[in-house]
Amino acid sequence: MRQAASHRVWRSIQGARVWTDRVGADITRIRIASRWARLLGFEVSAYLVGDLLVDTGFRHVRRQMLDVLSDSTIAAICCTHNHEDHTGNCAPLVDRHRCPAYLRNCELRWGEGVRRLKPYRSWFWGPPGELEVQEMPEVVEGAERRLRAIPAPGHSATHVALWEEASGTVFTGDLFISPGASAVMTQENPYELAASLRRVAAVQPELMLTGHGQVLAKPAVALRTKAERIEAAASRAVELHRSGMADRDAVREIFATGHGRDRMIEVLTQGEFSRANFVRAAVLHAPV
C-alpha cells in the first residue's frame, strides 16, 4: 500500500499526460507531456503508423503508454535514436506485443549519457530500463505500411529519419527541433547534423512529423534552411576561435538573444546542453 501511494504521489508531481490525435495519412500521434517536460518547452511525440510504432516516449508515462496502446497491434518498434525520452517504454512494449524493436548502431544504445543519466534526465524522463534492440534494417515492413530508415546522425550516432514514401511522410525524431542553429548536447556534431538535414530534404517529403510535436507540410525548404544556418554559425564559431575569442564571447557574437535562458539550461543540465557546446563542437569537428 505504501509503495502504491508513493507511485500516486510521484505521478501527481510529474503531472504526466498522454493523449492521441490523428495526423497525416491515417497516422496516430501519441502526445506525451509532464509538468517538468513542459519546463523545457516541448512535449514528446510517438507515432503509430498502421502496426509500426515510431518511438515509445519516456519512462515516467509508462503506465499511460501501455494503456493507450493496449488495443493496438504492433508488428515492430522503430526507434529514431537511443535517447531515453524516445526509448523509455521500449522494453515493456516489446514484452507485451511480442515484437522486435529496431535501432541504428544498436551497439551504441547505452552511449551519449544513457547508461548513467545526469540528474536532470532522470528527473525529466527517467531511465529507459532494459533496452534490448536489434539493428535497424534499411526497410521495416508492417502489414500495410513500410518505413525506410534514412541515416541521420548529428544529434545522435544512432539517429535515423523514417520515411514512408507511399504517403510522403517523414518521421524525424530530434533531427529538427528549432529552425536554426541552437544549443546542443556535448556529443553532437553540427556538420553531420547539417548533412542529415539535407539528406532528408532530398526525398522531398510532403509532411514532417518530429519527435517533439511539430507538424510541418512540405518541409524540404525548412530542412535545407536549417542546414545552411547551422553551417554558417559553425563557420563563424571556427573563425572566432581562430581569432582567439573565448567560447562564451563567441556565443554572444553568434546568437543574438536568449542568453539568460541558455545559461539557465546549461546549469540545469550540468553543461550537457548549451550554446557553448555548439561553439566547441563546431571547432572540434571542423573540416580540415
Side-chain angles (χ1 to χ4, degrees), residues 254-267:
I254 296 165
F255 298 96
T257 61
H259 299 291
R261 185 175 187 275
D262 177 59
R263 288 291 285 148
M264 179 188 72
I265 291 176
E266 183 176 10
V267 170

Side-chain angles (χ1 to χ4, degrees), residues 2 28 276:
R2 182 176 298 174
T28 299

